[in-house]
Amino acid sequence: MRDSKLLSFAIFGVLFLVNGVIGEDPYRFFTWKVTYGDIYPLGVKQRGILINGQFPGPQIDAVTNDNLVISVFNYLREPFLISWDGIQQRRNSWQDGNFGTNCPIPSGRNFTYKIQVKDQIGSFFYFPSLKFHKAAGGFGGIRIWSRPKIPVPFPNPAGDFTVLAGDWFKTNHYILRRGYLDRGRALPNPDGILINGRGWNGYTFTVDQGKTYRFRISNVGLTASINFRIQGHKMKLVEVEGSHTLQNMYDSLDIHLGQSLSVLVTANQPVQDYYVVVSSRFTRRVLTTTAVLHYSNSRKGVSGPIPWGPTTQIAWSVSQARSIRWNLTASGPRPNPQGSYHYGLIKPARTIMLGNSAPWINGKQRYAVNSVSYVQPDTPLKLADHFNIQGVFSVGSIPTNPTGGSGYLQTSVMHANFREYVEIVFQNWEDTVQSWHIDGHSFFVMGMEGGQWTPASRARYNFRDTVARSTTQVYPRAWTAIYIALDNVGMWNVRSQNWERQYLGQQFYLRVYSPAHSWRDEYPIPRNALLCGRARGRHTRPL
Ligand SMILES: *[C@@H]1O[C@H](CO)[C@@H](O)[C@H](O)[C@H]1NC(C)=O
Ligand SMILES: CC(=O)N[C@H]1CO[C@H](CO)[C@@H](O)[C@@H]1O
């Protein structure tokens, strides 16, 4: 039974590769100018990072399998890269836009990303990955629509809103970076929350009474989980990072760092304006901001008390997380194992356990995974690997289980075999909520619970209808376990979505490796790849 299923996945895989010719799908072209610009999101002037003059940056709309050609012109005085959260970059970690995969676009230069949103739907976002630029903007929403013939498990909404929300600092990003992080000092608390780049009642969503709207909400913040709610309105959850969910109703939803989801909201209340509220979660001081849900014929502004968020802390959030399930009968592209709902029937080949910690190293605050605090090499790992440049990294430079030892600095790369099916347990012994992301893949969230994970914990996994997503939270002194099909050859960033932690070392790269070196498994290096560090002067094609 199990073997015949695996065989059918394999056959499907071959057909997929034979048919999956990149040239057949439509192209969409974007030209982005990245500049500094004055922004005043919390009332004080800050140097923001704008894309085509906009903060947040422009929305990307795409249909499943579209090819996106995005030319980025860097007019900052610093090197710059954009990464694409949750976009799987199949066979193509060359376009992932982290320092481990790409050379930074130098000041005054340009680079053209070529990205195919293969077999994906859903709500995602892009962000600047280097130098704490994310604290200055440079992020924007990505919507991947289903192809016209693919049924979507809910009626077409009357409108589709992107909500980019998150905590924000009034301090400029280079001071956060140079004055705090680079000196080994933890960041101060954030100053507020932004909704689409605006503070209190700064942003308006206009709706017609009686109609239903989709809100795609991403937590693009730096350090805090958030809670989202709309005064007087219930929300029907329909999608989480590309998985169509069971359509449960919620009064409010927790969204952890880097996570995205979609809800449907029907404007079924008396005609007036209502608060759209985002507040920080699990922070000592609760930060709150509001936007406005404006009924198109309303003459009455927002009024009444701002609805409270959940007052109970962890238990409420955990039980809400468990209620988020996959709609097994909804159509749409599926995560691997391709075309299958049977992720729970396949036995993982091994278990990797990742423990986060906050060690002091050489008198500086750092963050670590299995005691290793990641340091940037002088050359992107992907290029060092491709050109076989020795001494940049070594595979196996991070243990696959927590060691309990004290923290140390290392350019950490973990080995994995192409098509390996792996269980990863994120074990959190700290007092803060963690948020973990894996590039190039989506994974099944099997379970989360307090305490230490043991093999007996598997008895309480969801083997049937959990969602596949690319970012999962891990509660304080608790674990979260995932199953992941490593079906995408490349050099993939595994990171904390807390940007202070990511910047100070809570990340590493997973090198998903195939000895076949076939273009069926991984595209060749792009002709326009920037070459830097010890890859400078090499050639992207053999001479
Ligand atoms: C799941 O999707 C199906 C098919 O589109 C839809 O009819 C159904 O209402 C959904 N079920 C739930 C519980 O959300
Ligand atoms: C679209 C575009 O103008 N691309 C330019 C980017 O920069 C290179 C040189 O670095 C030019 O050759 C391209 O024409």
Side-chain angles (χ1 to χ4, degrees), residues 1-9 342 345:
M1 176 73 180
R2 182 167 289 165
D3 285 347
S4 72
K5 274 210 182 76
L6 283 174
L7 183 64
S8 64
F9 300 148
H342 303 299
L345 298 180

Side-chain angles (χ1 to χ4, degrees), residues 147-431:
R147 285 187 290 171
K149 284 181 188 149
I150 306 292
V152 173
F154 46 86
N156 209 9
D160 193 298
F161 298 116
T162 291
V163 185
L164 301 170
D167 59 331
W168 188 261
F169 292 83
K170 287 181 183 168
T171 309
N172 281 329
H173 77 277
Y174 52 86
I175 299 188
L176 295 176
R177 184 178 88 223
R178 307 228 317 246
Y180 289 90
L181 300 174
D182 289 349
R183 291 188 187 175
R185 296 166 62 197
L187 289 185
N189 292 322
D191 297 298
I193 303 269
L194 301 187
I195 299 175
N196 290 344
R198 309 287 180 85
W200 284 90
N201 295 336
Y203 195 90
T204 299
F205 303 93
T206 300
V207 297
D208 293 335
Q209 195 188 29
K211 293 186 179 164
T212 298
Y213 296 83
R214 181 173 183 169
F215 288 75
R216 302 177 189 245
I217 310 143
S218 297
N219 183 343
V220 296
L222 299 166
T223 64
S225 300
I226 57 174
N227 180 270
F228 181 88
R229 52 199 184 271
I230 302 179
Q231 185 183 26
H233 292 75
K234 296 219 182 274
M235 302 182 285
K236 184 189 275 186
L237 185 71
V238 292
E239 181 250 338
V240 170
E241 291 157 32
S243 295
H244 283 137
T245 61
L246 288 188
Q247 297 176 3
N248 298 326
M249 303 299 294
Y250 297 90
D251 290 317
S252 78
L253 279 159
D254 279 352
I255 306 166
H256 302 277
L257 285 161
Q259 293 184 336
S260 299
L261 53 78
S262 297
V263 294
L264 297 181
V265 177
T266 301
N268 56 6
Q269 295 300 306
V271 171
Q272 63 165 80
D273 292 354
Y274 296 88
Y275 288 115
V276 173
V277 190
V278 176
S279 56
S280 63
R281 286 284 273 152
F282 319 115
T283 48
R284 217 161 288 152
R285 202 179 121 227
V286 176
L287 302 168
T288 302
T289 206
T290 58
V292 178
L293 183 74
H294 171 66
Y295 277 49
S296 54
N297 47 352
S298 155
R299 277 147 202 257
K300 187 163 176 244
V302 283
S303 61
I306 291 163
W308 284 86
T311 46
T312 51
Q313 291 281 315
I314 303 294
W316 183 94
S317 191
V318 174
S319 87
Q320 178 174 87
R322 290 211 185 102
S323 74
I324 298 177
R325 302 289 178 91
W326 202 8
N327 183 341
L328 297 177
T329 57
S331 50
R334 311 231 170 270
N336 280 337
Q338 271 287 355
S340 165
Y341 293 115
H342 303 299
Y343 70 89
L345 298 180
I346 304 165
K347 199 173 148 45
R350 61 181 172 129
T351 301
I352 295 169
M353 188 179 279
L354 302 176
N356 50 284
S357 59
W360 282 74
I361 303 176
N362 306 331
K364 290 182 169 181
Q365 177 69 67
R366 297 287 302 184
Y367 298 95
V369 190
N370 291 352
S371 302
V372 187
S373 185
Y374 179 83
V375 284
Q376 213 87 277
D378 60 6
T379 308
L381 305 168
K382 185 70 202 152
L383 298 180
D385 210 8
H386 175 77
F387 292 116
N388 204 12
I389 301 167
Q390 300 301 305
V392 175
F393 71 94
S394 60
V395 178
S397 40
I398 173 170
T400 54
N401 276 284
T403 57
S406 55
Y408 56 98
L409 303 174
Q410 178 89 271
T411 300
S412 32
V413 178
M414 191 182 285
H415 166 80
N417 289 316
F418 181 40
R419 299 218 172 95
E420 222 184 333
Y421 194 61
V422 177
E423 177 181 49
I424 300 178
V425 178
F426 300 103
Q427 180 73 55
N428 178 18
W429 285 115
E430 295 187 72
D431 290 322

Side-chain angles (χ1 to χ4, degrees), residues 469-480:
R469 65 188 313 170
S470 55
T471 298
T472 185
Q473 72 272 32
V474 189
Y475 292 97
R477 306 190 161 271
W479 54 264
T480 295

Side-chain angles (χ1 to χ4, degrees), residues 71 73 109-112:
S71 294
F73 290 77
R109 294 271 304 276
N110 68 75
F111 174 69
T112 301

